[in-house]
Amino acid sequence: MKCKQLVLIALMAFTSLSFAQSKSEFVVEDIRVIGLQRVALGAALTYLPVQVGDELNPFRVSQLIRSLYSSTHFEKVEILRDGNVLVVRVSERPTISNIVYEGNDDIKDEQLQDSLENSNIRVGEPLDRTVLTSIENGLKDFFYSIGKYNAEVSAIVTPLPRNRVDLKFLFEEGDAAKIKQINIVGNEVFDDETLFDVMELKFDTPWWDFTSETRYQQQTLSGDLENLTSYYKDRGYLRFAVSTTQVSMTPEKDAIYVGMNVEEGEQYTISEVELVGDLLGFEGFLNQVLPLSAGELYNQATVTYTEEFISKYLGRFGYAYPTVTTIPDINDEDKTVKLSLSVDPGKRIYVRRINFQGNVITADEVLRQNLSQLEGTWLSDSLLESSKASLSRLTYMETVDFETIRVPGQDDKVDVEFKVKEQASGSFTAGVGYGDNTKLSLNAGIQQDNFLGTGKRIGLNVSTVSYQQSIQLNYTDPYFTIDGISLGGNIGYSKFDGGDFGVVQYDSKRYQIGANIGYPINEVNRISFGLTYANVELSSDNTSYEQTSRFYDQFRSLDDPDSSIKYESFLASTSWTRSTLNRGLFPTDGSSQRASFSITTPNSDVNYFKMIADTKWYFALSQNQRWSVLARMRLGYGNGYGSKNGTEQILPFTENFTAGGADTLRGFEDNTVGPRGVQRIASQIGTTPLGTPIFGSPDTDRIGVSPRSLGGNAMAIGGLELIVPTPFVESEFDSSVRTSVFVDVGNVWDTEFDYDEYKDLNFVGRTGEGQPAVLGDYSDWSQFRTSAGVSVQWISPMGPLVFSFSKEINSRDGDNPKFFTFNIGSTF
């Protein structure tokens, strides 16, 4: 830039001198501009501070030249005189037609483009050649800072027709200089190996240690010096300092030697901790909870944490910009230090306005419903973070961030700006599909968690698969009232074939209609209440399983024992949910819990209850949260209550828990884990003269076991998952693609099954593929199944997809393992 200014001054001086040598002053009668190509004549004349009729002199000439160059359109300017006509001869800067990069590995094209645009180098703009050298030198400095001292950067300008140019940046990065040795001089308390572990720069690493960085980087060295200082000061060495550092290079510029001299000093103990300044009446509380205390070794990390703790605490009450400074009073004689924490809370800050950016679909008022921080109240860090968390948990939000902006001229007011990025919150399906369990399926439907940007959830699904035909309509308004009370309802019809579903054979028709209402307890807790009416028709009990017959016997007609049965129920339910997850879809941190209890009212034809508890815990393992662990557990129990027609009520087998498949226990066929149906067959010992069968005593009965699961009234399922970055997928797609390595464990059992009643009976034997060879104790809760594998989940345009590759580790007799499964349309 200085060179450019010197050239401009010289040109103006030369032009002014030339102009002065020929009739120094005259009145301009006309103006001619020569050499224009892209720039219009009218535009060029606007840059001339001279008009016809003005008197021109050397000073005016210098102004004219300066104005033309400042327009950035011209590479060369000459001022001439033809009589009383002012002649301006210009050479326009060439237009950049294309910018290409070649040989750059350490710098991405996007980073280079951003850097060039900051220097006004972009396609379609005039090329200022004077800045190319500074750009070249700046890029070289970058390579030097990462240890590539042989790097070369060249900007090649290729002329094109019509005063255009191609701009090419050619990189020859070369190899990075490796650290051959690091020497630390002056350390006595801690040995070299201990201090080397603190540093990021490494040397002489083993061949198998791929994560260590042996390339020299100036920024990394600066960070290591800070790490060493923190390491000592966190252990009481208050006077520690790195006195000098030396970095030397071999003549070939391929090896670096680093040396540093340290002064450790002595350990210091805190003699007193004092709070000073305007504490706004919080002295008592702060003195009780301060992490610092007298008699402990000085710890710089604890001092910093204490400053941040006080700042955040004051931020909860609107003092968003406090100043907390620790003033040490060091006594070198007894090696103690008195710490005075000076607190200046500043002014209480109020929120003037809350704005949103990035919400193309979702209305502002929907987002405001999820805010804890309100306009007109004081600014609270905790409320802002709570608001961010609530917005992030919405399934139609991919990312959420916020910043506070000071209001100009008002030192006690800020505007809060939430920047959100929306993501698909529903799916539309119509057509033909195929699944490994559902086989051929026809479906059409829409499910939307953010209907028309209102935040309301609505779904209409019509589907026909091998085991079920159904139509369902559901609706939920999460903010039915301004207080966050939700209201929802559902209505549906389904026809179900248990045999194709993977459980014992039965057919059912079900009509239901229900409503629910939810109340928020706080930002993360909610309770809900619901009531559902159901009308169910079950086909006749063709299988005569012991477990199903107990239920059918309550309704069987003596006149027509083979007829289907019908019953009505009113199911009242209550549930509690809690969520601190950081995202609504594909969370990586936080937890969620849900507990529900449902019971049919006494006036129902069936009397039963069910309890379900579900919990998930996510633990982030890395700062960017691409690595995390999921621990999950689901417990369930149900049973009947009271009696009907002298028969004790039990849980309808249609309400049994099942396991197996992508949503519960991967590595096993869908809904195949759990108790089998047991058939008791009376032994015929002869016939009467009339041909009537004669059966023996019950202890001579035989039993058979169904190859299919009947489910059970108790369930326990859990698992661990290691969530890892998806191979070949960039981090920006983590919100739509997830890969995990998992271990699943679970069991379903029947607490009402009496194994002793059947164990001594003769077993019929295997009559079908997959049928158990022996009768199991289906009341045994400890017969857990285990599997392990890899799962890939993708929120695709057609809906959520889940692919699982798994292997059973622990199975039971009669189980049906499944190596590969996939699901379409499951929720996560």
Side-chain angles (χ1 to χ4, degrees):
M1 186 58 70
K2 290 184 178 179
C3 179
K4 178 180 176 181
Q5 293 174 344
L6 291 174
V7 172
L8 180 59
I9 292 171
L11 283 172
M12 289 191 295
F14 174 77
T15 306
S16 300
L17 179 61
S18 301
F19 186 83
Q21 289 174 346
S22 65
K23 295 184 181 180
S24 60
E25 297 181 1
F26 70 95
V27 177
V28 178
E29 295 180 356
D30 194 12
I31 300 175
R32 293 205 305 268
V33 182
I34 302 173
L36 295 176
Q37 294 183 21
R38 292 182 303 101
V39 181
L41 176 60
L45 292 176
T46 61
Y47 299 122
L48 297 177
V50 176
Q51 298 180 356
V52 174
D54 290 347
E55 185 178 284
L56 195 64
N57 53 42
F59 175 73
R60 298 291 295 276
V61 169
S62 64
Q63 285 184 316
L64 187 152
I65 295 172
R66 184 183 297 108
S67 177
L68 287 173
Y69 274 116
S70 65
S71 70
T72 71
H73 290 293
F74 306 110
E75 195 167 49
K76 184 178 179 182
V77 177
E78 291 183 87
I79 306 300
L80 305 172
R81 176 181 177 181
D82 184 8
N84 288 335
V85 176
L86 172 63
V87 180
V88 181
R89 180 180 294 165
V90 297
S91 177
E92 293 184 359
R93 288 178 176 173
T95 303
I96 301 174
S97 176
N98 191 27
I99 302 176
V100 296
Y101 314 101
E102 184 177 312
N104 53 306
D105 293 327
D106 274 314
I107 310 180
K108 293 184 179 179
D109 289 359
E110 295 79 6
Q111 293 174 297
L112 288 169
Q113 190 63 42
D114 291 341
S115 177
L116 293 180
E117 288 188 356
N118 291 334
S119 300
N120 206 33
I121 302 293
R122 58 175 66 90
V123 174
E125 295 292 331
L127 173 63
D128 185 356
R129 299 177 189 266
T130 60
V131 303
L132 291 182
T133 300
S134 63
I135 292 175
E136 290 173 341
N137 292 334
L139 291 173
K140 287 181 183 179
D141 290 340
F142 167 78
F143 285 112
Y144 294 166
S145 69
I146 61 173
K148 292 192 172 184
Y149 294 97
N150 291 312
E152 293 291 338
V153 181
S154 303
I156 302 173
V157 180
T158 304
L160 298 174
R162 302 192 307 275
N163 198 29
R164 296 175 302 125
V165 294
D166 269 350
L167 182 58
K168 179 179 181 180
F169 285 91
L170 182 61
F171 297 85
E172 296 180 9
E173 296 184 352
D175 295 327
K178 301 292 184 181
I179 301 175
K180 289 296 183 182
Q181 190 171 356
I182 300 176
N183 294 315
I184 303 177
V185 179
N187 55 308
E188 297 179 356
V189 178
F190 302 107
D191 58 28
D192 288 355
E193 294 302 322
T194 301
L195 299 183
F196 288 155
D197 288 341
V198 177
M199 302 172 61
E200 291 187 35
L201 291 178
K202 305 293 182 182
F203 73 98
D204 193 25
T205 58
W207 64 268
W208 45 263
D209 190 356
F210 299 104
T211 60
S212 295
E213 180 60 82
T214 60
R215 179 172 64 174
Y216 173 75
Q217 297 190 54
Q218 183 179 347
Q219 297 92 332
T220 306
L221 176 59
S222 299
D224 282 342
L225 297 179
E226 293 181 4
N227 290 341
L228 287 175
T229 301
S230 298
Y231 185 81
Y232 272 91
K233 289 191 174 182
D234 290 348
R235 287 157 179 79
Y237 295 92
L238 184 56
R239 294 293 194 185
F240 173 83
V242 180
S243 55
T244 59
T245 57
Q246 306 88 33
V247 179
S248 58
M249 186 187 315
T250 60
E252 295 79 13
K253 298 182 179 180
D254 61 349
I256 297 290
Y257 294 86
V258 179
M260 56 187 71
N261 296 80
V262 301
E263 298 176 1
E264 293 179 322
E266 301 289 338
Q267 283 184 311
Y268 284 75
T269 303
I270 300 175
S271 61
E272 183 181 352
V273 179
E274 180 184 27
L275 288 171
V276 297
D278 186 3
L279 299 173
L280 305 172
F282 298 125
E283 304 96 303
F285 174 78
L286 291 175
N287 278 316
Q288 290 179 357
V289 300
L290 279 183
L292 293 171
S293 60
E296 296 181 347
L297 281 177
Y298 176 84
N299 188 309
Q300 182 65 49
T302 306
V303 171
T304 302
Y305 171 77
T306 302
E307 294 174 346
E308 294 174 351
F309 171 79
I310 296 174
S311 297
K312 289 182 178 180
Y313 183 76
L314 295 178
R316 296 175 58 185
F317 302 97
Y319 299 92
Y321 304 104
T323 301
V324 182
T325 306
T326 302
I327 304 171
D329 183 6
I330 302 174
N331 188 330
D332 290 319
E333 292 184 2
D334 59 4
K335 301 299 183 288
T336 61
V337 57
K338 175 184 176 182
L339 300 178
S340 298
L341 295 167
S342 177
V343 180
D344 179 9
K347 287 190 175 182
R348 175 171 278 180
I349 306 299
Y350 292 85
V351 177
R352 184 187 68 167
R353 187 176 296 115
I354 298 177
N355 302 312
F356 297 93
Q357 283 189 5
N359 52 315
V360 179
I361 300 174
T362 311
D364 277 12
E365 55 266 25
V366 175
L367 300 180
R368 291 182 188 278
Q369 290 169 345
N370 292 274
L371 297 182
S372 305
Q373 177 72 69
L374 302 178
E375 294 177 343
T377 62
W378 68 56
L379 181 68
S380 170
D381 289 343
S382 59
L383 293 181
L384 284 177
E385 291 294 340
S386 174
S387 300
K388 176 183 175 180
S390 296
L391 290 172
S392 299
R393 283 192 287 269
L394 297 175
T395 57
Y396 42 89
M397 286 297 149
E398 182 175 338
T399 59
V400 179
D401 208 346
F402 67 86
E403 64 175 332
T404 56
I405 303 171
R406 302 293 289 264
V407 177
Q410 302 185 55
D411 58 359
D412 63 342
K413 287 185 175 62
V414 297
D415 289 339
V416 179
E417 190 167 279
F418 281 90
K419 297 180 181 179
V420 302
K421 182 179 179 182
E422 297 172 313
Q423 67 180 2
S425 59
S427 61
F428 174 79
T429 57
V432 180
Y434 186 86
D436 65 344
N437 179 60
T438 62
K439 302 300 186 286
L440 181 65
S441 65
L442 303 174
N443 60 81
I446 183 171
Q447 183 69 42
Q448 177 60 255
D449 286 350
N450 186 22
F451 183 66
L452 299 178
T454 62
K456 298 177 175 63
R457 295 189 290 271
I458 187 170
L460 173 63
N461 289 280
V462 180
S463 66
T464 173
V465 294
S466 61
Y467 59 82
Q468 187 176 42
Q469 295 80 46
S470 67
I471 178 170
Q472 299 284 338
L473 174 65
N474 58 79
Y475 171 85
T476 301
D477 183 353
Y479 281 88
F480 180 69
T481 71
I482 195 173
D483 299 323
I485 295 176
S486 64
L487 183 66
N490 66 86
I491 184 172
Y493 163 79
S494 66
K495 184 178 180 181
F496 181 79
D497 184 338
D500 287 337
F501 187 61
V503 297
V504 296
Q505 178 65 51
Y506 71 91
D507 297 331
S508 72
K509 293 180 182 179
R510 180 185 183 93
Y511 303 86
Q512 72 175 43
I513 183 171
N516 59 80
I517 188 170
Y519 297 87
I521 301 174
N522 51 36
E523 290 84 356
V524 298
N525 290 277
R526 171 178 287 269
I527 57 173
S528 300
F529 303 93
L531 182 64
T532 301
Y533 165 78
N535 184 299
V536 181
E537 178 181 351
L538 290 179
S539 61
S540 60
D541 186 17
N542 296 324
T543 58
S544 298
Y545 292 123
E546 291 288 285
Q547 300 98 317
T548 59
S549 294
R550 288 185 58 195
F551 179 74
Y552 274 98
D553 287 345
Q554 301 174 81
F555 304 94
R556 203 186 308 271
S557 171
L558 296 178
D559 297 331
D560 188 7
D562 294 330
S563 64
S564 60
I565 65 171
K566 297 180 180 180
Y567 60 87
E568 295 179 336
S569 66
F570 294 88
L571 186 68
S573 62
T574 181
S575 65
W576 162 77
T577 57
R578 175 184 179 274
S579 177
T580 61
L581 299 176
N582 61 341
R583 283 203 297 263
L585 286 176
F586 290 164
T588 56
D589 197 19
S591 68
S592 68
Q593 291 79 37
R594 186 178 190 275
S596 64
F597 176 78
S598 56
I599 186 170
T600 57
T601 58
N603 61 320
S604 302
D605 293 334
V606 289
N607 298 132
Y608 68 89
F609 64 89
K610 292 180 75 173
M611 299 180 291
I612 300 175
D614 203 339
T615 182
K616 295 181 180 180
W617 295 84
Y618 290 86
F619 304 93
L621 300 179
S622 60
Q623 188 171 3
N624 60 9
Q625 297 188 349
R626 299 198 72 191
W627 294 77
S628 58
V629 171
L630 163 62
R632 63 183 180 89
M633 183 174 63
R634 181 178 176 86
L635 303 175
Y637 175 75
N639 216 327
Y641 73 91
S643 62
K644 183 177 179 65
N645 299 327
T647 302
E648 184 180 353
Q649 293 273 280
I650 62 172
L651 182 71
F653 65 90
T654 57
E655 298 292 334
N656 277 351
F657 299 106
T658 60
D663 293 332
T664 53
L665 194 59
R666 290 160 286 194
F668 296 87
E669 281 274 10
D670 287 6
N671 310 300
T672 60
V673 172
R676 268 53 182 169
V678 177
Q679 282 185 313
R680 187 162 183 165
I681 307 168
S683 298
Q684 183 176 343
I685 60 176
T687 59
T688 66
L690 299 177
T692 303
I694 300 175
F695 297 100
S697 61
D699 57 2
T700 64
D701 290 349
R702 297 172 299 159
I703 61 169
V705 179
S706 166
R708 297 180 180 272
S709 171
L710 184 65
N713 70 331
M715 170 189 63
I717 295 173
L720 283 174
E721 291 192 42
L722 174 63
I723 299 168
V724 302
T726 304
F728 313 113
V729 175
E730 298 294 333
S731 59
E732 55 262 32
F733 297 105
D734 285 349
S735 58
S736 58
V737 180
R738 165 167 288 183
T739 300
S740 62
V741 181
F742 64 84
V743 175
D744 286 349
V745 59
N747 187 29
V748 173
W749 66 98
D750 184 357
T751 63
E752 298 298 308
F753 183 78
D754 187 359
Y755 177 66
D756 293 334
E757 184 179 347
Y758 307 102
K759 67 178 181 178
D760 295 327
L761 300 180
N762 293 325
F763 191 74
V764 172
R766 306 184 71 169
T767 60
E769 184 65 28
Q771 181 171 341
V774 296
L775 173 70
D777 183 359
Y778 303 131
S779 65
D780 185 359
W781 63 270
S782 64
Q783 295 185 7
F784 285 95
R785 281 76 162 175
T786 310
S787 64
V790 177
S791 175
V792 178
Q793 304 175 34
W794 174 35
I795 303 177
S796 72
M798 70 179 69
L801 303 179
V802 182
F803 303 87
S804 297
F805 302 86
S806 50
K807 172 68 175 176
E808 86 282 1
I809 298 174
N810 184 28
S811 60
R812 301 295 174 180
D813 188 45
D815 285 343
N816 298 325
K818 190 73 170 180
F819 173 71
F820 171 72
T821 59
F822 73 88
N823 248 11
I824 299 179
S826 295
T827 55
F828 308 123

